[in-house]
Amino acid sequence: MATTPSSANPSLNPNSNPQNPAASPPKPRLIRLPSKTKSPQPPPWAEKKLVVSVDYDKGQRRVAAEVAGVGKDQIPAKYRIRVEGSRWQRDWKVSEVVERILRLKHWEDVESMLNCWAGRFARRNFPLLIREITNTGSLEHAVHVFRWMKNQKNYCARNDMYNMMIRLHARHNRIDQARGLFFEMQKWRCKPDAETYNSLIHAHARASQWRWAMNIMEDMLRAAIPPSRTTYNNLINACGSAGNWKKALEICKNMTENGVGPDLVTHNIVLSAFKNGAQYSKALSYFELMKEEKISPDIFTLNIVIHCLVKLRQFGKAVDVFNSMKEKRSECRPDVVTYTSILHAYSVCGQIENCKAVFDMMLAEGLKPNIVTYNALLGAYASHAMHVEALSIFKLLKQSGLQPDVVSYTSLLNAYGRSAKPEKAREIFDMMKRNSRKPNRVSYNALIDAYGSAGMLTEAVEVLREMERDGIQPDIVSISTLLAACGRCDQIVKIDGILSAAKSRGIQLNTVGYNSAIGSYMSVGEYDKALRLYRSMRESNVKPDSVTFNVLISGYCKAGKYSESLKFLDEMMDLQIPLSKEVYSSLICSYSKQGQLTEAESIFNCMRESGCYPDVVTYTAMIHAYSLTENWKRAWDLFQDMEGNGIQPDPIAFSSLMEVLNRACQPEKVLQLAELMREKHIPLNSSAAYEIISSCSMLRDWKTASQVIEHMEPSLSSISVGILNQLLHFLGKTGKIEIMMKLFFKILASCSNVSRATYSVLLKNLLAAGKWRKYIEVLQWMEDAGIQPSMYMYRNVLSYAWKDNSTEYVVLIQEKMSTLRENIR
């Protein structure tokens, strides 16, 4: 008995709601399937038999399934005499003939080898030969053998042979040739049967040619051949693989009405149709109906369900399905596809550690990852700029015996590009070409982005030209990437040139393209051009999104045009575009800059009420708003609220709160925040370090200050000159002259730009500590560095040299001062 959904089944109606009991359909009727009849046993010469051979010299044991076929003793008498009288004729088994054919390197040898086979005179050997050679999957060998076979006098066309050849052509996506065989067999007066039509429909299903499959189904009905469940499954698969899920449901409904009950394969094909048509919610509703009808899913079903859950970003439910499959009593154990889907889910939600854990779990289960699995892990590392880990997986891929494809190379290239290593990205791109992997449009766009992100706009444009020379036309992604690079490089002329190039190539800007261009104009201060482009966007009927308005609002806010920035909020509301977290943050920033704290708080509360929960950027913007009004208590409470809601503060949030606390003379709380950063392993940025050191200065906590300075030493090259000067001044003011000089040496070693202001801070503190001889030495360092000390610097130290009766230093200083006077004249 098979339980099947009826024609009124809600799974077949995309508008049905399985959650509504009032709309639930009548109970599906039961369809009795015909009982299976036992197929007749094949004759002994057609059976596959296991043959075991042992090579004792090499210590090898070989087990193979062989088909004997009709031997020389069983062929017609007239041919037997001819065979026995020739020494060139061989009494090979059918399996042996196939092995010899597959070993041939020249196509012209096929016929000569087959002409030496005594079994060719037995017509019953031909179907066996075609069956065995098509099972190997070698299309060219099968085509040559079939052509030779049709030229034999004792050949007789048979449906099963044509069906096998049609299926083989379908496996190789040779649809036209499969269709040609269908017409050829009819010329041989070989009437197609149900298996023939099924094979041909399956061939078109693989090629997503659902209209052709429908026409073949109509021919089948006109030939009075009743379609089977396999026929309907192939037809539904043809529609589903093309993304036509509505037609697939219609055929499934007709299938039920015609008394052919769907099986699990049918349900899986319908689920796959929903998946290919991006109807993920409908696929999940259909799956719920399957569970209500007590239809047990298989691994294919659950893999589709996990895929749909991931697409709907329901990651928790996807992991729950995965964990249920791993239970001991589960009938569907996870396979490579399952692990790959879960790995991709963790990658999308940013849990990279879990990606590697799933990969290692798959290896522990004894499953061998395929190229898709490796590419998914490579893509996860690439999206987070983890080029070291990506390279490790790339090497592991090659060590496992797999060949990297274009996706593998592109993912590794992207990892280097996002890690600000464009030269390494170029090396991977060139390696891809050397290894005969032709880069696609995604590969070129990734290389353009690698150069653009590093500010190498000239090289990015050259990649675009190289892309066109290789016959690949740029798309809107290429143009958007270049436009974003222009904004980072402050190239106003280039922005105009790229927009003109896009227009000349017929590339129409979409929402993302307009956003990139508007953002680039904003970043270089061309606000009028950005506004004109936005108006052009509206005139071209390209609908802006929340990113568009966030770029406009934040851009005008940074330019100090706060009232203009708030006007875009009205347009956004008129277009009924929901506010994103980024837009809320920009609005809070705009209101706070104007001193409108009440409005900023109103926006923040409105954000919570709308269900758009604030993130760390929004909280930081609100903390900064309280900082401008020096309301440290509200800022402190908001920070506590952020932690209570499970949102991890970042270094910017900490430094913003520290700034308002220092202004309010709350250094103890600043150090409390510093301890919290250490516990949470949050990196210390330069702003936070400066605020901590300022608090230590108020509390005269030199130990903590020294620890902070020591922590900052590895990143001295990335710290601004102003903060470095503040650090030196703090150490000098507290009397830590030796520590100050050590920090100065480390600043020099880190290749940081040491300006006259830095030397002035150093000299002032040395003189205050009475280290006038070191003072003179530093003056010499200034000259060696190409920075000329001023007359005032020499005059300050001259009195100290006179007091110590150091005549030689007095003479040296006076000579330097005389030289300076002459240069001034």
Side-chain angles (χ1 to χ4, degrees):
M1 234 20 126
T3 306
T4 59
S6 66
S7 60
N9 198 315
S11 64
L12 306 182
N13 182 4
N15 297 320
S16 63
N17 183 9
Q19 303 295 333
N20 185 5
S24 56
K27 290 292 183 180
R29 59 190 177 90
L30 300 179
I31 297 177
R32 187 178 298 277
L33 301 179
S35 58
K36 295 183 178 180
T37 57
K38 292 185 178 180
S39 56
Q41 292 293 329
W45 49 267
E47 289 183 352
K48 283 192 175 184
K49 297 181 180 179
L50 290 178
V51 178
V52 181
S53 60
V54 180
D55 189 338
Y56 292 101
D57 296 332
K58 295 182 179 180
Q60 296 178 351
R61 178 175 177 269
R62 178 176 176 271
V63 180
E66 293 185 353
V67 178
V70 177
K72 180 173 64 175
D73 297 338
Q74 297 177 341
I75 63 177
K78 59 179 179 179
Y79 297 120
R80 195 183 313 129
I81 297 173
R82 176 180 169 184
V83 168
E84 290 177 347
S86 174
R87 61 173 181 165
W88 304 108
Q89 300 299 308
R90 299 288 186 267
D91 189 19
W92 294 321
K93 298 179 181 178
V94 172
S95 299
E96 190 176 357
V97 173
V98 173
E99 290 180 5
R100 290 177 177 272
I101 291 172
L102 296 177
R103 286 200 298 264
L104 294 176
K105 297 181 180 179
H106 302 286
W107 300 121
E108 59 271 13
D109 293 334
V110 173
E111 293 188 6
S112 59
M113 194 279 294
L114 288 171
N115 290 333
C116 296
W117 177 38
R120 73 184 185 279
F121 295 111
R123 184 181 299 170
R124 293 174 294 180
N125 280 335
F126 290 164
L128 299 178
L129 180 61
I130 288 296
R131 184 189 71 187
E132 294 302 309
I133 199 165
T134 54
N135 287 341
T136 65
S138 179
L139 178 62
E140 299 299 333
H141 287 94
V143 168
H144 282 277
V145 170
F146 193 53
R147 186 183 300 133
W148 167 86
M149 194 178 295
K150 289 183 288 187
N151 292 327
Q152 303 304 304
K153 292 181 179 181
N154 58 334
Y155 168 76
C156 180
R158 287 179 42 162
N159 286 22
D160 56 348
M161 291 193 295
Y162 274 101
N163 294 344
M164 287 185 282
M165 290 299 298
I166 289 173
R167 284 196 298 269
L168 181 61
H169 279 87
R171 285 166 59 187
H172 291 267
N173 294 323
R174 304 277 289 271
I175 310 303
D176 294 336
Q177 289 79 356
R179 199 181 302 130
L181 288 172
F182 176 76
F183 295 119
E184 178 186 304
M185 68 184 294
Q186 298 178 67
K187 291 180 181 179
W188 284 80
R189 297 183 179 180
C190 186
K191 187 177 180 181
D193 56 6
E195 183 63 28
T196 311
Y197 284 104
N198 288 342
S199 300
L200 197 58
I201 292 174
H202 176 66
H204 289 85
R206 290 176 62 93
S208 301
Q209 298 180 6
W210 66 273
R211 288 186 175 85
W212 267 98
M214 293 290 296
N215 293 336
I216 295 167
M217 173 74 163
E218 293 175 1
D219 292 341
M220 184 178 183
L221 294 174
R222 281 193 290 268
I225 299 175
S228 63
R229 184 182 291 112
T230 304
T231 312
Y232 281 110
N233 287 348
N234 287 334
L235 193 58
I236 296 171
N237 188 32
C239 298
S241 59
N244 194 344
W245 58 272
K246 293 183 179 179
K247 195 67 178 179
L249 285 178
E250 181 183 336
I251 296 169
C252 188
K253 178 181 178 181
N254 295 336
M255 174 183 182
T256 306
E257 292 175 349
N258 292 335
V260 182
D263 58 359
L264 181 58
V265 176
T266 313
H267 294 305
N268 286 342
I269 295 173
V270 172
L271 282 173
S272 183
F274 281 128
K275 184 190 77 171
N276 295 332
Q279 302 296 316
Y280 307 117
S281 298
K282 292 182 173 61
L284 297 179
S285 299
Y286 194 94
F287 176 67
E288 292 298 325
L289 181 66
M290 288 175 61
K291 291 195 294 186
E292 291 176 6
E293 300 299 332
K294 307 299 182 183
I295 299 173
S296 299
D298 60 1
I299 184 65
F300 188 81
T301 314
L302 296 178
N303 284 342
I304 294 176
V305 170
I306 290 175
H307 177 86
C308 294
L309 289 170
V310 173
K311 287 294 184 180
L312 293 172
R313 305 187 71 84
Q314 298 179 16
F315 305 117
K317 293 183 179 180
V319 173
D320 290 341
V321 175
F322 173 70
N323 291 332
S324 67
M325 296 171 67
K326 289 181 60 184
E327 294 177 357
K328 293 183 178 180
R329 297 182 180 180
S330 174
E331 297 180 357
C332 301
R333 304 293 297 176
D335 60 0
V336 175
V337 178
T338 317
Y339 279 101
T340 303
S341 299
I342 294 299
L343 192 155
H344 177 68
Y346 281 124
S347 172
V348 172
C349 61
Q351 299 182 22
I352 304 302
E353 300 81 3
N354 288 336
C355 291
K356 188 62 169 65
V358 170
F359 185 81
D360 294 338
M361 188 190 305
M362 177 169 51
L363 296 177
E365 292 290 335
L367 296 173
K368 185 177 180 181
N370 55 21
I371 188 67
V372 180
T373 311
Y374 280 107
N375 288 344
L377 188 55
L378 274 170
Y381 285 136
S383 62
H384 287 74
M386 301 170 68
H387 64 278
V388 176
E389 293 80 0
L391 180 61
S392 174
I393 295 300
F394 186 81
K395 292 179 179 178
L396 184 62
L397 186 157
K398 294 195 289 187
Q399 292 172 2
S400 65
L402 296 173
Q403 291 297 324
D405 58 4
V406 176
V407 178
S408 311
Y409 284 105
T410 303
S411 297
L412 184 58
L413 186 158
N414 197 24
Y416 281 117
R418 296 191 175 210
S419 303
K421 296 181 179 296
E423 295 81 6
K424 294 292 294 183
R426 184 72 204 198
E427 289 180 14
I428 301 301
F429 186 83
D430 295 336
M431 184 195 305
M432 176 168 36
K433 284 187 170 182
R434 288 196 303 270
N435 292 335
S436 302
R437 296 290 185 271
K438 186 178 180 180
N440 56 18
R441 186 178 285 109
V442 179
S443 308
Y444 279 103
N445 288 343
L447 186 58
I448 291 173
D449 184 60
Y451 281 124
S453 300
M456 303 170 69
L457 186 58
T458 304
E459 290 79 358
V461 174
E462 182 57 35
V463 173
L464 182 73
R465 294 171 180 161
E466 180 184 349
M467 179 180 182
E468 293 182 312
R469 288 195 297 269
D470 288 347
I472 300 176
Q473 292 301 317
D475 60 356
I476 186 60
V477 178
S478 315
I479 299 300
S480 301
T481 305
L482 282 176
L483 288 171
C486 292
R488 286 189 288 265
C489 301
D490 296 337
Q491 295 285 337
I492 303 174
V493 178
K494 288 289 186 180
I495 300 174
D496 299 333
I498 290 170
L499 289 174
S500 300
K503 186 176 181 180
S504 64
R505 288 166 172 78
I507 300 175
Q508 298 292 330
L509 292 182
N510 58 6
T511 303
V512 177
Y514 275 109
N515 291 347
S516 298
I518 293 171
S520 297
Y521 277 132
M522 284 288 185
S523 62
V524 297
E526 291 289 330
Y527 305 107
D528 294 336
K529 286 188 176 182
L531 186 59
R532 285 199 298 270
L533 192 61
Y534 168 69
R535 299 305 176 196
S536 173
M537 178 184 186
R538 297 292 305 274
E539 293 171 0
S540 302
N541 293 324
V542 177
K543 187 177 180 180
D545 58 3
S546 60
V547 177
T548 315
F549 287 102
N550 181 56
V551 170
L552 291 167
I553 293 172
S554 61
Y556 273 89
C557 182
K558 290 177 182 177
K561 300 180 179 182
Y562 306 115
S563 57
E564 290 89 338
S565 68
L566 295 176
K567 291 179 182 179
F568 292 108
L569 177 62
D570 299 331
E571 290 192 42
M572 193 174 182
M573 302 302 292
D574 292 339
L575 293 173
Q576 296 182 350
I577 298 175
L579 276 68
S580 64
K581 295 178 181 179
E582 292 78 14
V583 174
Y584 277 115
S585 301
S586 298
L587 290 172
I588 291 171
C589 178
S590 180
Y591 280 121
S592 62
K593 290 289 186 180
Q594 300 178 77
Q596 300 177 1
L597 181 61
T598 305
E599 288 78 0
E601 289 179 327
S602 176
I603 288 290
F604 185 76
N605 295 329
C606 179
M607 179 181 184
R608 286 177 162 179
E609 293 171 0
S610 65
C612 183
Y613 297 104
D615 58 2
V616 64
V617 178
T618 316
Y619 273 106
T620 303
M622 200 63 220
I623 289 173
H624 186 67
Y626 288 128
S627 174
L628 295 176
T629 58
E630 298 186 0
N631 193 338
W632 71 270
K633 291 183 178 180
R634 299 292 295 274
W636 180 264
D637 293 340
L638 189 64
F639 186 84
Q640 299 294 329
D641 180 68
M642 175 170 57
E643 284 198 303
N645 290 330
I647 298 175
Q648 178 79 356
D650 61 1
I652 300 177
F654 274 101
S655 60
S656 299
L657 183 57
M658 288 176 178
E659 182 181 0
V660 66
L661 289 173
N662 271 334
R663 287 180 182 177
C665 298
Q666 298 291 326
E668 298 86 356
K669 290 189 178 294
V670 172
L671 296 186
Q672 184 179 342
L673 289 175
E675 181 63 22
L676 183 62
M677 289 183 74
R678 189 186 65 80
E679 292 176 358
K680 290 181 174 292
H681 304 287
I682 296 175
L684 193 68
N685 61 6
S686 57
S687 299
Y690 173 74
E691 298 297 337
I692 294 171
I693 291 174
S694 298
S695 299
C696 291
S697 179
M698 295 180 194
L699 298 173
R700 305 188 67 80
D701 187 352
W702 317 127
K703 182 179 180 182
T704 303
S706 301
Q707 291 175 351
V708 172
I709 294 173
E710 185 179 352
H711 179 77
M712 293 175 65
E713 288 177 1
S715 58
L716 288 175
S717 59
S718 61
I719 299 176
S720 65
V721 177
I723 292 180
L724 291 176
N725 292 344
Q726 289 289 346
L727 293 176
L728 292 172
H729 180 67
F730 166 76
L731 292 172
K733 187 177 179 181
T734 56
K736 308 291 183 180
I737 301 299
E738 292 183 3
I739 299 177
M740 180 189 72
M741 294 305 300
K742 287 181 181 179
L743 178 62
F744 178 72
F745 293 144
K746 290 176 180 178
I747 292 173
L748 292 176
S750 66
C751 300
S752 298
N753 293 324
V754 179
S755 63
R756 178 185 293 273
T758 307
Y759 281 106
S760 298
V761 171
L762 202 65
L763 293 171
K764 181 179 179 180
N765 286 287
L766 286 172
L767 207 58
K771 306 283 186 181
W772 65 271
R773 286 183 174 83
K774 195 69 177 178
Y775 183 105
I776 295 174
E777 188 178 351
V778 172
L779 289 175
Q780 186 61 45
W781 294 349
M782 286 183 67
E783 290 186 7
D784 295 340
I787 302 174
Q788 181 62 49
S790 64
M791 184 74 71
Y792 179 76
M793 292 178 179
Y794 285 115
R795 190 178 295 118
N796 285 341
V797 75
L798 183 60
S799 59
Y800 286 87
W802 277 112
K803 289 179 182 179
D804 267 5
N805 295 322
S806 299
T807 309
E808 55 181 297
Y809 283 107
V810 171
V811 173
L812 176 64
I813 294 171
Q814 289 176 343
E815 289 178 355
K816 295 288 185 181
M817 294 174 66
S818 299
T819 305
L820 280 176
R821 290 192 190 97
E822 293 177 0
N823 291 337
I824 293 173
R825 292 174 187 173

